[in-house]
């Protein structure tokens, strides 16, 4: 089985994100970069399936030279191959999906995994966009997966419950938390990852069809108050919620 | 310029988030001097049709198909795409629910147009559609503009108000063609028809400060009294005390209820990312220095096991 996993390098979720001086982009200098947490679930699931059913796992990213770091992290977890599709400048969502879909089509994978969302742009869009471009089935936000012969059955959460969905392969799946527990790369894995070669492809540059107008910090929350300590504070809290905040009757 | 809004329903009951998207869509259509249409897909949808008419739809595209009673990406996609073509839509809107997050990017890819996910603001300014969306889990906001219309926008639930205003509500039945690519084997609704955190207007969330899973009973009782949903920090989800579906935060759900009560939650940056836009935040924590107090409107310092039952009694 040929399995692809789409991965992205993102700032660590614990990062304080600051804007640059011109407020035209985020300040990237002091950030700690990690493999997108949702992509870790995707890589883990792919590795598990490859181990159970036989096959190999190729991790793919569309990005600048630095993005190779995401590939290294996934290789260290155990992926067999890696592809960097080089991009220049800024691309829009559709451009990213098109660039990835082009390579995915050529390489003819049986299963393609992506993360539910990248925790930088929080779009949750690339997976279903690629599947639509490729015209293959896609199940998003999966929390459970069974792979059979030429088909998969996945579970996904919906509001107030979950649903179980079947699709034939090739198909694309986006990984949600709960799917598995991603492994930590072993020291040996990290050493091996450094030696594995990364295939480099030139991506076509598509001019972004969106314009970023401005970046800002979220509105500050008004300073709150400590109502009090212990049980004595409860009646006052209730009074404030009723009379000041007016959020309860 | 016309605006088309997909309004979600579950078994014939309209989703509030869908009406929020419709109301925002109607406001934008008015600003652009266009009309508003709604798309409704399902079987038993008379009530939904009535509701969208009362929320400003000039035209209502109805797709009645037995095999689309439950969400089916390929069928829903074909339906919306056909409606877009019929209505000459410059803006396609949809609420960013689990269905909307799945469907909206497919619409954009199918039509080869831009997509702005999960927006918290949308305006018509000098001939352009300008949107605001949170990125980096709400640590930063970005304003965007598409170089060209049409665009697809998904709207964050609980951000836009739903507004009652009667529209012409002309019903047009569509009969799109599609081949389903997936098969829904089973739909499991949790037994108690529990309120989902992403849809709840009030949330009572618990963290490791509750000490053991059994103590979540205290939160459930308080949630019952308030008509709230129960949420959880990642720490207690990872410990297996609570299901993943209840996790609030950067790798959980993003919520914006009117009232969020955080009990025994320290207020890590990844947790705050998911609930910081709540209207009123209450924190109950025994540590006066817990970071959650910085973002809370009202804080009570104390033992959750004492405070929560007392609060519940006081509210009854
Ligand atoms: C990639 C990544 C993604 C993450 N995503 C999320 C996410 O989506 N959501 C999320 O929540 N976290 C997330 N986290 C984890 C986050 O960093 C914190 O570890 C987590 O939120 C802590 O949970 P907690 O507040 O329940 O536990 P703790 O930090 O242990 O806090 C427990 C709190 O309870 C208080 N307490 C103790 N006893 C009592 C008592 N008797 N009464 C009252 N209060 C008491 C303590 O003072 C303390 O403040 C993520 C982390 C990473 C690395
Ligand atoms: N530049 C990229 N290269 C490779 N995969 C990507 C890229 N951007 C997004 N993805 C994949 O698509 C998922 C969703 O990303 P997004 O739609 O940007 O939130 C991610 O978790 C990745 O699996």
């Amino acid at each position: 089985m040929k399995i692809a996993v789409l991965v992205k390098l993102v700032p660590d979720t614990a990062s304080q994100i600051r804007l640059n001086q011109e407020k035209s982009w985020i300040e990237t200098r002091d950030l700690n970069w990690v493999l997108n947490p949702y992509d870790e679930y995707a890589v883990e699931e792919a590795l598990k399936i490859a181990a159970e059913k036989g096959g190999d796992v190729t991790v793919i990213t569309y990005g600048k030279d630095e993005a190779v770091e995401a590939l290294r992290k996934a290789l260290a977890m155990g992926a067999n191959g890696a592809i960097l599709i080089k991009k220049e400048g800024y691309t829009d969502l559709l451009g990213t999906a098109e660039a990835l879909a082009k390579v995915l089509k050529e390489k003819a994978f049986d299963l393609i995994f992506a993360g539910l969302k990248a925790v930088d742009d929080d779009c949750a869009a690339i997976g279903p966009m690629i599947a639509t471009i490729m015209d293959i089935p896609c199940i998003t936000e999966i929390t459970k997966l069974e792979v059979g012969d030429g088909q998969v059955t996945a579970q996904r959460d919906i509001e107030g419950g979950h649903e179980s969905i079947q699709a034939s392969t090739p198909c694309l799946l986006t990984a949600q938390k709960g799917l598995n527990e991603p492994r930590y790369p072993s020291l040996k894995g990290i050493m091996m990852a450094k030696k594995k070669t990364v295939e480099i492809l030139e991506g076509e540059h598509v001019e972004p069809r969106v314009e970023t107008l401005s970046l800002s910090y979220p509105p500050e929350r008004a300073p709150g108050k400590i109502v009090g300590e212990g049980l004595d504070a409860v009646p006052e809290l209730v009074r404030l919620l009723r009379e000041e905040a007016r959020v309860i009757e | 310029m016309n605006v088309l809004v997909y309004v979600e329903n579950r078994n014939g009951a309209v989703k509030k988030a869908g009406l929020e998207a419709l109301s925002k869509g109607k406001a934008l259509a008015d600003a652009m001097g266009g009309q508003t249409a709604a798309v409704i897909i399902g079987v038993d949808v008379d009530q939904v049709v009535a509701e969208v008419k009362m929320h400003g739809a000039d035209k209502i595209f109805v797709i009645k198909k037995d095999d689309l009673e439950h969400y089916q990406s390929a069928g829903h996609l074909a339906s919306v795409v056909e409606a877009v073509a019929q209505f000459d839509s410059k803006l396609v809107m949809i609420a960013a629910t689990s269905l909307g997050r799945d469907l909206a990017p497919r619409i954009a890819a199918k039509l080869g147009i831009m997509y702005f996910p999960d927006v918290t603001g949308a305006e018509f300014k000098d001939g352009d559609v300008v949107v605001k969306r949170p990125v980096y889990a709400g640590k930063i906001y970005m304003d965007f503009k598409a170089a060209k219309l049409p665009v697809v926008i998904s709207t964050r639930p609980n951000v836009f108000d739903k507004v009652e205003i009667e529209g012409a509500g002309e019903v047009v039945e569509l009969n799109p063609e599609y081949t389903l690519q997936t098969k829904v084997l089973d739909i499991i609704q949790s037994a108690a028809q529990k309120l989902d955190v992403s849809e709840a207007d009030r949330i009572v969330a618990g963290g490791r400060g509750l000490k053991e899973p059994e103590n979540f009973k205290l939160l459930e009782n308080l949630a019952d009294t308030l008509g709230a949903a129960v949420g959880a920090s990642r720490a207690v989800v990872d410990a297996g005390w609570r299901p993943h579906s209840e996790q609030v935060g950067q790798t959980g759900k993003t919520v914006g209820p009117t009232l969020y009560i955080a009990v025994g939650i320290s207020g890590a940056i990844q947790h705050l990312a998911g609930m910081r836009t709540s209207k009123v935040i209450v924190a109950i924590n025994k540590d006066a220095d817990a970071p959650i107090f910085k973002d809370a409107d009202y804080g009570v310092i104390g033992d959750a096991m004492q405070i929560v039952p007392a609060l519940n009694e006081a509210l009854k």
Side-chain angles (χ1 to χ4, degrees):
Chain A
M1 186 146 18
K2 276 181 75 179
I3 309 175
V5 187
L6 307 177
V7 297
K8 189 177 186 189
L9 196 67
V10 298
D12 183 347
T13 57
S15 314
Q16 290 280 358
I17 307 288
R18 297 273 138 223
L19 299 181
N20 64 10
Q21 206 125 56
E22 303 79 46
K23 294 208 155 65
S24 59
W25 205 247
I26 66 155
E27 182 55 74
T28 50
R29 251 176 309 173
D30 300 323
L31 293 175
N32 178 30
W33 297 85
V34 299
L35 177 58
N36 179 36
Y38 288 99
D39 301 350
E40 289 184 357
Y41 301 119
V43 173
E44 176 64 37
E45 200 63 15
L47 292 174
K48 257 172 49 188
I49 294 164
E52 276 164 32
K53 312 264 166 189
D56 60 28
V57 176
T58 305
V59 290
I60 306 176
T61 196
Y62 175 56
K64 311 222 171 95
D65 291 332
E66 310 85 90
V68 92
E69 206 37 47
L71 299 174
R72 294 272 175 233
K73 288 176 198 275
L75 286 169
M77 286 174 75
N80 309 92
I83 302 173
L84 169 68
I85 309 168
K86 281 235 234 182
K87 83 165 178 184
E88 289 164 43
Y90 181 77
T91 354
D92 56 52
L93 271 178
L94 191 58
T96 302
E98 281 162 347
L100 287 163
K102 182 163 169 272
V103 172
L104 290 166
K105 242 185 238 166
E106 281 165 14
K107 306 254 168 186
F109 293 96
D110 301 299
L111 281 180
I112 303 167
F113 284 95
L116 153 64
K117 65 179 173 188
V119 301
D120 51 1
D121 62 19
D122 285 335
C123 285
I126 294 297
M129 278 186 147
I130 290 174
T132 306
I133 294 167
M134 295 176 72
D135 198 21
I136 57 172
C138 168
I139 312 174
T140 55
E141 307 191 14
I142 66 167
T143 52
K144 211 184 237 180
L145 182 67
E146 270 168 49
V147 178
D149 220 7
Q151 66 171 41
V152 301
T153 306
Q155 212 174 71
R156 68 189 295 270
D157 285 346
I158 51 176
E159 288 86 1
H162 54 263
E163 57 188 7
S164 180
I165 295 181
Q166 197 173 65
S168 54
T169 57
C171 64
L172 191 150
L173 305 156
T174 76
Q176 161 71 308
K177 181 168 187 278
L179 182 60
N180 54 43
E181 274 311 318
R183 68 195 65 185
Y184 287 104
S186 63
L187 203 57
K188 187 164 153 246
I190 296 170
M191 298 312 290
M192 300 248 293
K194 288 191 180 139
K195 290 193 204 119
K196 288 183 189 163
T197 44
V198 172
E199 184 180 346
I200 296 179
L201 303 174
E202 289 301 327
E204 289 163 56
H205 181 69
V206 189
E207 275 306 310
R209 289 151 283 189
V210 300
E211 200 183 314
T212 307
L213 299 174
S214 64
L215 285 81
S216 55
Y217 293 112
E220 289 282 329
R221 288 192 74 87
K225 57 177 132 188
I226 297 290
V227 178
E229 266 196 69
L231 285 176
D232 294 346
V234 171
E236 177 62 0
L237 174 65
V238 173
R239 189 192 70 79
L240 287 167
L241 291 177
R242 229 173 236 147
E243 292 169 18
E244 190 178 86
R246 296 169 189 273
V247 288
I248 55 173
E249 299 75 42
Chain B
M1 286 189 276
N2 291 342
V3 178
L4 183 89
V5 187
Y6 170 78
V7 181
E8 181 179 349
N9 74 90
R10 172 96 46 87
N11 303 326
V14 73
K15 288 261 183 167
K16 176 168 156 275
L19 294 177
E20 292 166 4
L22 178 59
S23 296
K24 185 68 203 175
K26 160 91 178 135
L28 287 167
D30 287 350
M32 302 193 296
Q35 292 217 306
T36 314
V39 184
I40 297 169
I41 305 171
V43 177
D44 239 345
V45 292
D46 294 352
Q47 189 56 38
V48 190
V49 169
E51 290 259 16
V52 302
K53 181 171 157 52
M54 291 317 295
H55 287 84
D58 299 308
K59 206 170 227 177
I60 305 171
F61 294 104
V62 177
I63 296 95
K64 279 193 186 168
K65 295 271 192 183
D66 288 337
D67 57 1
L68 300 186
E69 181 165 23
H70 188 70
Y71 176 56
Q72 279 283 4
S73 49
H76 279 61
L77 175 59
S79 302
V80 174
V81 165
E82 170 140 355
V84 170
Q86 297 246 345
F87 196 58
D88 186 27
S89 321
K90 290 291 177 255
L91 200 57
V92 182
M93 296 178 59
I94 178 165
T97 59
S98 68
L99 186 161
R101 286 194 301 272
D102 187 278
L103 181 56
R106 299 180 198 247
I107 298 168
K110 187 80 193 174
L111 297 172
I113 60 178
M114 293 299 109
Y115 169 43
F116 296 116
D118 205 24
V119 307
T120 56
E123 267 178 89
F124 188 63
K125 253 194 219 154
D126 310 324
D128 290 310
V129 175
V130 174
V131 300
K132 187 182 279 306
R133 54 182 311 268
V135 291
Y136 299 93
K139 293 171 197 166
I140 301 287
Y141 281 72
M142 279 196 191
D143 286 16
F144 292 99
K145 171 178 120 175
K148 220 169 76 191
L149 298 179
V151 291
V152 181
I153 291 177
S154 66
T155 53
R156 178 170 287 192
N158 283 326
V159 169
F160 300 103
D161 293 327
K162 66 183 173 95
V163 181
E164 273 196 33
I165 174 167
E166 189 167 353
E170 179 203 343
V171 174
V172 181
E173 284 216 26
L174 296 182
N175 193 14
E177 291 197 8
Y178 49 84
T179 315
L180 296 184
Q181 288 182 318
T182 52
K183 196 160 128 196
V184 179
L185 300 180
D186 207 1
I187 302 156
I188 300 114
Q189 289 291 329
S190 48
Q193 281 291 324
K194 264 197 321 190
L195 201 55
D196 192 82
V197 279
S198 62
E199 296 186 308
D201 196 43
R202 292 172 177 172
I203 295 171
V204 181
R208 196 144 45 190
L210 280 155
K211 299 284 190 261
E212 44 188 309
E214 291 68 35
N215 287 333
F216 267 81
K217 188 82 196 128
L218 303 175
L219 292 197
E220 280 167 4
N221 293 342
L222 178 60
D224 274 350
T225 304
L226 283 168
V230 173
S233 74
R234 173 163 173 171
V236 298
V237 170
D238 285 356
W241 298 4
R242 304 300 295 180
H244 291 282
S245 56
E246 287 181 4
Q247 186 183 319
V248 172
Q250 184 150 15
T251 46
K253 290 189 173 141
T254 307
V255 300
T258 307
L259 175 63
Y260 189 92
I261 307 184
V263 183
I265 291 177
S266 59
I269 192 166
Q270 295 100 339
H271 188 81
L272 293 172
M275 43 66 77
R276 223 180 144 263
T277 59
S278 304
K279 295 212 174 74
V280 173
I281 297 174
V282 174
I284 300 170
N285 197 302
K286 72 170 189 193
D287 174 9
D289 294 327
I292 188 79
F293 285 126
K294 281 204 220 55
D295 276 273
D297 300 283
Y298 303 107
V300 172
I301 301 163
D303 182 357
M305 272 55 83
Q306 276 191 319
I307 307 287
V308 173
L311 179 59
N312 190 24
E313 279 311 311
L315 286 170
K316 266 190 193 159

